[in-house]
Amino acid sequence: MPSHDVLIIGAGLAGQRAALAAAQAGASVAIISKVHPVRSHSVAAAGGINAAVSVDDDWRSHAYDTVKGSDFLGDQDAIEVMCSEAPKEVLHLEHIGVTFHRNDSGQLDLRAFGGASVKRTAYVADITGQAILHVLYEQLMKHHETVDRYEEWFVTSLIKDDSGACVGVVARDIRTGRMETFAAKSTILASGGAGQAFKPTTNGLICTGDGIAQAYEIGAPLMDMEMIQYHPTTLVENGFLITEGARGEGAHLLNGDGERFMEKYAPNKMELASRDVVSRAEQTEINEGRGAGPNKEGIYLDITVVPKKRTLEALREIVNIGKDFAGVDITEEPILIRPGQHYIMGGVKTDVDGQAPGIPGLYAAGRGRLRLRARRQPPRRELAARHAHLRPPGRRARCGARPARRDARGR
Ligand SMILES: Cc1cc2nc3c(=O)[nH]c(=O)nc-3n(C[C@H](O)[C@H](O)[C@H](O)COP(=O)(O)OP(=O)(O)OC[C@H]3O[C@@H](n4cnc5c(N)ncnc54)[C@H](O)[C@@H]3O)c2cc1C
């Protein structure tokens, strides 16, 4: 029976990054994936990764935007860790080989993303996930003596011992059908989301929530499973994602009457309001009969306002997606989109270190891991006061006292 210090279920960005850290710490590691690692769904991540790396930015501003973007429901301890460590992590990724885009003066280029108060998204064209995934895969090869890979192995269940600790998994080698038991001191679930439970979804067929279900089966509590993110721009035909990078580069959203309707819903941020705000605005336009397309079932995303040279450089994948899946040249005409399920914020309940309470030896990382503690959060006014120190200098609290008009969150 294979036995390791650390057993990681999933070889997407979360699983491979965890494997690299565990290997560097000297642990013996096994990483199991039902698909070849670089086909993990992280390969679809397009637009980029947020981190306050600019000299004009501050991780506290990133944290504030994230807390605000979550409508003050986000796990603020986790947000603090994520935002304060993100700049170091992005630079680390670059140092190990991720070719983040640089501007003409040689600095890391950053693009605008929804809900961010400054340009904060580091990117590799619109293939950021693929670029990072390949670099991590390559880096893990350096640790081949201590990292065993089980590629195209399907984990069917987690194992608990008599004391209630998670001590490994049962998995099937997909190619041969052979079943095997794997023992481990620590098991990390990094098995992704459950997008296939929804339609339309931007998620591929492999996103079936296996890890969430398997953890639940051995008694791990789940949390915030109702917290589902809808992305504003997915192809009407099939739910394919058109990256937020398109709006970050300046694309407009138009209803069937040709109006830039975000002016009504988020006059300051317009198309770059947070995803829930833009998705809701689109759906309101559609529901009220102002949709675009033959059956008024969508909204136009107009990328023609972005300079063509820039579109071909920074959004090349969606140029292909437009042509191949909607028959539209996005540099010449608007493309029909609608909101689609994109991200599951809930999952296995963990503490800020990823440990599942009550089940020693079980950890969760990445998607499918708890990010919200909605029900335990104190009221908005109290939270606003408690996190006043996270607010960038000169910015007024907006969550306690709601302005009477417009968007209550100032978007
Ligand atoms: C189209 C699209 C675009 C996106 N763009 C961005 C972006 O620009 N920026 C951003 O930050 N995020 C983006 N995201 C979100 C981001 O891609 C995900 O949050 C992230 O990649 C999830 O990584 P993960 O490692 O948790 O899961 P995944 O990459 O989904 O990996 C899951 C792993 O678990 C394995 N697995 C699952 N079940 C089993 C099982 N039973 N047995 C064995 N192995 C199993 C799979 O084989 C896989 O290796 C995007 C998502 C989509 C869908």
Side-chain angles (χ1 to χ4, degrees), residues 135-152:
V135 166
L136 287 177
Y137 189 74
E138 167 198 298
Q139 289 296 314
L140 273 179
M141 284 180 177
K142 287 186 190 164
H143 297 276
H144 62 93
E145 284 172 3
T146 51
V147 179
D148 289 337
R149 300 168 194 258
Y150 297 88
E151 296 172 358
E152 299 184 342

Side-chain angles (χ1 to χ4, degrees), residues 351-399:
D351 63 18
V352 81
D353 297 318
Q355 156 84 69
I359 308 196
L362 183 65
Y363 297 80
R367 219 182 207 193
R369 196 212 127 173
L370 165 73
R371 294 232 174 66
L372 292 159
R373 287 182 188 155
R375 286 171 294 276
R376 291 209 312 272
Q377 294 290 3
R380 281 168 176 263
R381 200 176 293 272
E382 191 186 317
L383 282 167
R386 190 192 295 175
H387 286 84
H389 69 289
L390 290 178
R391 222 170 286 134
R395 193 177 290 184
R396 205 164 47 83
R398 286 201 173 106
C399 52

Side-chain angles (χ1 to χ4, degrees), residues 146-218:
T146 51
V147 179
D148 289 337
R149 300 168 194 258
Y150 297 88
E151 296 172 358
E152 299 184 342
W153 279 72
F154 192 106
V155 171
T156 56
S157 56
L158 306 176
I159 306 171
K160 237 164 87 163
D161 70 7
D162 291 342
S163 72
C166 179
V167 290
V169 305
V170 177
R172 172 183 283 122
D173 180 350
I174 294 172
R175 275 169 290 192
T176 64
R178 181 167 69 94
M179 301 295 287
E180 182 66 85
T181 304
F182 293 78
K185 291 178 192 158
S186 301
T187 301
I188 303 178
L189 281 176
S191 42
Q196 281 299 314
F198 299 84
K199 198 174 178 186
T201 178
T202 62
N203 291 194
L205 294 174
I206 59 172
C207 298
T208 45
D210 307 7
I212 298 172
Q214 289 162 8
Y216 184 68
E217 269 174 18
I218 64 160

Side-chain angles (χ1 to χ4, degrees), residues 9-15 32-35 40-42 44-48 153-155 190-192 202-203 210 214 241 342-343 366-367:
I9 320 304
L13 290 179
I32 305 183
S33 174
K34 66 182 178 183
V35 297
S40 298
H41 205 54
S42 294
W153 279 72
F154 192 106
V155 171
S191 42
T202 62
N203 291 194
D210 307 7
Q214 289 162 8
L241 183 86
H342 186 57
Y343 197 90
R367 219 182 207 193

Side-chain angles (χ1 to χ4, degrees), residues 2-39:
S3 181
H4 295 86
D5 295 329
V6 180
L7 178 61
I8 299 167
I9 320 304
L13 290 179
Q16 292 207 49
R17 183 64 185 86
L20 189 59
Q24 285 168 341
S28 74
V29 181
I31 182 160
I32 305 183
S33 174
K34 66 182 178 183
V35 297
H36 188 278
V38 297
R39 298 195 55 151

